[in-house]
Amino acid sequence: MVIPTTLDPTMASPGKHFMSCFVQYCPPKVEGRDWTDADRDAFAETVIKQIAEYSPGFRDRIVHMEVRTPREIENEVGLTEGNIFQGELTFDQLLFNRPVPGYAQYRSPIDGLYICGSSTHPGGGVMGAPGRNAAAEILRDLKRPNELMSKAHDVI
Amino acid sequence: MTSFDSASKAYDAIVIGAGHNGLAAAAKLGASGRKVLVLEAANEPGGAMRGREFAPGFRSAGLAHLINRLDPDVTRDLGIRLTSSTAMPTSVLDGDKQPVVLHGAYGDSIDGVSADEAAAFIRMRDKLIFQAGILKRFLRRASPQLGAIGMADLATFASAGFGLIRKGRGEGRDFLRMMLMNVADVADEYLEHDRLKALVAFDATLGIHLGPRSPTSLLGLYYRLTGEVAGRAGGQFIPEGGMSAVAPAFIKAAEKAGVIIRCGTSVGRIVADRGRASGVILADGQEIAAPVIVAAVHPQTAFLQLVDPAESGTGFTRSLRNLRTAGNVAKLDVALDRIPSFLNLRPSDHAGRIVLARSMEQVERAFNPAKYGEFSTDPVMEIVLPSLADASLAPSGACTLSALVQYAPHKLKMGWEASKPLFLKIILDTLERHAPGISKSIVAAHLSTPADIEADYNLPGGHWHHGELQADQLLINRPTGAASGYTTPIEGLYLASAGAHPGGGISGLPGWNAARHILSGARP
């Protein structure tokens, strides 16, 4: 749970706040079937109820609320099954296994087509490293020098 | 102390514990010409394979009810002959549909599933056996020591690497992808059939505090598949004469090598001074000296009970206290007035291994309560009818049934004393569902929870592997880094039980490896 407006008040009208929550666990399917709007609303209610236990009166302060289950995340930003890391960060999908063995070098089975999402090494989170690493590999294939590449951090 | 003087010249090595690993170590040391004394606290040797009469006229042959990983190098070297002429199939029952029966070594042929599904299972099995074979190279020798990797270690690594690439890049990639996966994801990749999935999930987690979906649970299945029977990985058997014949075979090997076994002799303390072990003091106060002491007991017993912590060091003592060794399995022995009949199971398959597990999900759900100190209310289990292989276990016409029931956590929230009757009832109800009418033929039922196993066999936590078989307690970490090469922080004191590399089950390897390691050094 974070309240970014405590750092950047311009995100909301004066006196108002914005709060964002990541909630565990929320599988891409509910008992084997797709999420429905009713499921989503019920889950939201569970979450609000729990927050209200820690913060009395919380419910009455809500002006507007948006809930994104893996279904919404997949629909809105195209993340398969709503996985924010584009694939589990378990050993069988890390390092030389990311995203799959044999294609962990940002190259794909198709010449000239490269991959550089969170699904590639070193994985998800806002770090820019997969993109930067992929760019270095592309430069290598083009036989171009890469010493002028910026640090991922500077770009972001 | 004249007895001390005479004794000090008498023995080259003292082995504490006459379980099969202690006996294997003693036999190997004895065969090299050393004078070896084995001290056993119980009134007879055999360790966890010590049998007992659990009801008038009915005997149990100990904790293990079949063999699946007795090492051929160990038996050849020690002259142990344990064979069986009869095949031992595995039947997986869900109490409703036709059983799934695997014949041969882990399913050479499978009844009860489609030809496609059987082929898929064999594809998965062969892949896992190949991968287990890579790991197997590390089992027959001491695990590599960090900071002191020797030529022989490098040779093992090289041969493992070569073995991997010999089959092509794809196999190498698959191994590096799969080795730390959970068994459920692997089963889902290959299989459709509920009970085949249930079987691999059960086999991967039996005796280990993991559910099929817990990370690294595939290691348990690898471990099983590193075992072989008659040259075939994944096989299983009960020897001629039943499991009661196993301990005597090890005892005979030790005695043939000139080993002296003293039972009913409890060791009170291992004598160690300034980091050097020199003998033992028995519970009755008698002192016996020897330059080599081999502890073939649970590592916590050896180092937290028998050795002065000041000698082994606080860091070492702490790491042993943190050893994860809480048992997960209960052992049930049932006396029956006749041979039971499991639903739809052919009479000949009753002599095999019977697994009661409907689905992988059932195994996973059975594990859930164990995480919170509760037993499974819908447990999964492996059943054998021991008296079919060894008629002496039951009166004529009667039968014994042995079951390993999962999950039964050592530390039960409600306490085992209060909960045992309910757990037993749940298990017997499960049996009745799968073998209708069996309840009426029960003469007696004896359930050993991990708490009972702890007390009966002096196994801390009641864990038959002497500690979890998980990545953090294997190889260079078994039982803990400082004691992973059979040597310990105390010079002259060696560890040779299932708590040492390569771990539990009836393989004989920890004891045999430890003895070979001792013999490779200069004779003290």
Side-chain angles (χ1 to χ4, degrees):
Chain A
M1 238 187 273
V2 290
I3 306 173
T5 41
T6 55
L7 295 173
D8 178 7
T10 65
M11 290 177 76
S13 325
K16 305 279 193 293
H17 278 280
F18 167 69
M19 180 171 141
S20 162
C21 302
F22 276 177
V23 185
Q24 290 264 67
Y25 290 88
C26 193
K29 299 241 180 195
V30 181
E31 292 181 336
R33 56 170 175 79
D34 289 331
W35 281 81
T36 62
D37 289 352
D39 293 328
R40 181 195 59 199
D41 296 343
F43 188 58
E45 174 53 32
T46 305
V47 173
I48 296 301
K49 199 171 150 209
Q50 195 176 343
I51 295 173
E53 282 172 21
Y54 291 81
S55 173
F58 178 81
R59 192 185 294 272
D60 303 330
R61 293 167 192 241
I62 299 173
V63 179
H64 172 78
M65 179 170 77
E66 289 180 9
V67 183
R68 290 180 174 80
T69 68
R71 176 185 67 157
E72 280 77 24
I73 295 173
E74 172 163 330
N75 289 344
E76 289 176 21
V77 287
L79 284 170
T80 306
E81 294 192 312
N83 187 307
I84 57 169
F85 293 138
Q86 295 187 358
E88 282 287 308
L89 293 171
T90 48
F91 182 79
D92 56 309
Q93 299 187 158
L94 280 177
L95 296 166
F96 42 83
N97 291 323
R98 192 161 187 87
V100 290
Y103 297 100
Q105 314 292 323
Y106 307 100
R107 293 169 187 84
S108 71
I110 298 158
D111 249 1
L113 176 59
Y114 294 83
I115 42 178
C116 73
S118 293
S119 68
T120 59
H121 173 79
V126 184
M127 69 176 140
R132 187 178 192 279
N133 289 351
E137 290 307 306
I138 292 167
L139 288 172
R140 191 201 302 273
D141 285 355
L142 295 174
K143 301 195 168 42
R144 300 282 290 276
N146 66 7
E147 60 264 22
L148 293 178
M149 281 179 65
S150 321
K151 298 244 183 277
H153 185 271
D154 297 345
V155 178
I156 291 169
Chain B
M1 291 291 281
T2 47
S3 69
F4 178 90
D5 289 338
S6 61
S8 70
K9 292 183 188 70
Y11 297 110
D12 295 316
I14 294 172
V15 176
I16 306 169
H20 74 288
N21 278 310
L23 294 169
K28 181 69 184 163
L29 291 172
S32 79
R34 304 212 174 188
K35 200 145 177 13
V36 184
L37 172 68
V38 178
L39 298 173
E40 168 60 48
N43 287 325
E44 52 179 321
M49 284 188 294
R50 226 160 47 229
R52 64 171 161 199
E53 191 174 59
F54 67 93
F58 293 88
R59 286 187 63 79
S60 157
L63 279 187
H65 59 201
L66 54 81
I67 290 179
N68 58 21
R69 56 180 312 104
L70 186 60
D71 192 84
D73 281 1
V74 173
T75 51
R76 200 179 309 119
D77 187 44
L78 302 182
I80 291 170
R81 285 183 58 80
L82 286 168
T83 50
S84 166
S85 48
T86 44
M88 197 179 182
T90 293
S91 306
V92 195
L93 274 57
D94 66 357
D96 173 24
K97 295 184 279 294
Q98 284 297 319
V100 171
V101 186
L102 286 78
H103 300 279
Y106 219 64
D108 288 337
S109 69
I110 307 176
D111 299 342
V113 299
S114 70
D116 282 354
E117 190 63 12
F121 183 87
I122 286 169
R123 259 199 313 283
M124 181 186 76
R125 178 199 73 169
D126 290 351
K127 175 153 304 241
L128 294 177
I129 286 176
F130 167 73
Q131 297 179 347
I134 304 288
L135 301 170
K136 193 173 176 172
R137 291 161 213 270
F138 295 93
L139 302 191
R140 284 192 187 139
R141 40 178 289 108
S143 77
Q145 296 299 297
L146 283 187
I149 303 279
M151 282 310 289
D153 294 320
L154 292 177
T156 310
F157 281 121
S159 99
F162 181 72
L164 202 54
I165 53 174
R166 193 172 47 89
K167 273 222 175 177
R169 213 175 212 197
E171 288 293 340
R173 279 184 177 140
D174 271 348
F175 176 63
L176 291 175
R177 179 178 72 93
M178 290 166 72
M179 65 180 187
L180 297 181
M181 277 177 80
N182 70 57
V183 67
D185 283 342
V186 174
D188 279 338
E189 279 184 20
Y190 283 86
L191 306 172
E192 297 282 339
H193 196 281
D194 271 350
R195 269 170 295 158
L196 284 180
K197 288 188 191 183
L199 176 68
V200 292
F202 178 82
D203 283 343
T205 55
L206 181 63
I208 304 175
H209 191 71
L210 291 177
R213 293 211 176 275
S214 308
T216 72
S217 63
L218 186 65
L219 288 177
L221 191 55
Y222 282 144
Y223 190 70
R224 183 190 179 85
L225 294 176
T226 56
E228 62 179 75
V229 167
R232 297 292 312 280
Q236 60 200 352
F237 75 111
I238 294 176
E240 303 288 350
M243 291 302 287
S244 318
V246 182
F250 277 88
I251 295 162
K252 212 174 104 194
E255 286 176 341
K256 217 177 92 198
V259 172
I260 296 164
I261 303 170
R262 265 175 72 180
C263 293
T265 310
S266 188
V267 173
R269 199 153 70 77
I270 293 169
V271 185
D273 185 31
R274 277 163 290 179
R276 180 87 184 76
S278 57
V280 298
I281 297 177
L282 303 183
D284 65 11
Q286 192 198 346
E287 192 162 342
I288 308 174
V292 169
I293 310 295
V294 181
V297 293
H298 192 289
Q300 286 185 339
T301 309
F303 295 106
L304 302 181
Q305 290 177 27
L306 301 182
V307 176
D308 183 352
E311 291 295 333
S312 48
T314 48
F316 182 70
T317 308
R318 189 181 306 120
S319 65
L320 275 163
R321 265 202 203 102
N322 290 338
L323 198 67
R324 296 184 301 128
T325 182
N328 310 285
V329 182
K331 167 74 154 53
L332 175 71
D333 288 302
V334 186
L336 299 163
D337 64 15
R338 75 196 75 156
I339 296 171
S341 176
F342 282 85
L343 219 52
N344 300 327
L345 194 65
R346 286 185 309 191
S348 60
D349 292 334
H350 281 75
R353 176 170 79 119
I354 301 166
V355 175
L356 306 188
R358 297 188 297 276
S359 65
M360 197 151 68
E361 181 170 323
Q362 189 200 354
V363 184
E364 186 71 38
R365 285 188 183 277
F367 174 58
N368 286 346
K371 291 185 278 194
Y372 311 106
E374 294 158 22
F375 58 71
S376 311
T377 51
D378 184 15
V380 286
M381 64 189 84
E382 170 184 285
I383 294 167
V384 163
L385 304 176
S387 62
L388 295 187
D390 176 4
S392 73
L393 295 175
S396 165
C399 186
T400 60
L401 177 150
S402 163
L404 298 176
V405 186
Q406 173 130 302
Y407 292 83
H410 173 251
K411 275 218 165 33
L412 202 69
K413 216 159 48 185
M414 306 293 287
W416 274 115
E417 206 147 306
S419 309
K420 202 162 132 175
L422 178 58
F423 192 47
L424 178 61
K425 182 180 182 313
I426 288 171
I427 300 168
L428 295 180
D429 287 351
T430 308
L431 285 177
E432 176 66 26
R433 269 205 311 282
H434 289 83
I438 195 171
S439 308
K440 288 193 192 72
S441 65
I442 294 177
V443 179
H446 185 270
L447 181 67
S448 297
T449 68
D452 299 321
I453 292 169
E454 175 174 42
D456 293 347
Y457 296 100
N458 196 16
L459 280 176
H463 200 299
W464 73 48
H465 288 305
H466 290 200
E468 283 290 302
L469 284 176
Q470 294 188 35
D472 60 313
Q473 294 190 168
L474 283 176
L475 288 163
I476 58 167
N477 293 314
R478 189 160 189 89
T480 176
S484 65
Y486 307 110
T487 53
T488 69
I490 295 167
E491 209 186 320
L493 175 60
Y494 299 86
L495 185 67
S497 63
H501 171 77
I506 302 167
S507 71
L509 278 171
W512 187 68
N513 280 355
R516 286 197 305 157
H517 185 76
I518 294 166
L519 293 171
S520 69
R523 186 171 174 149

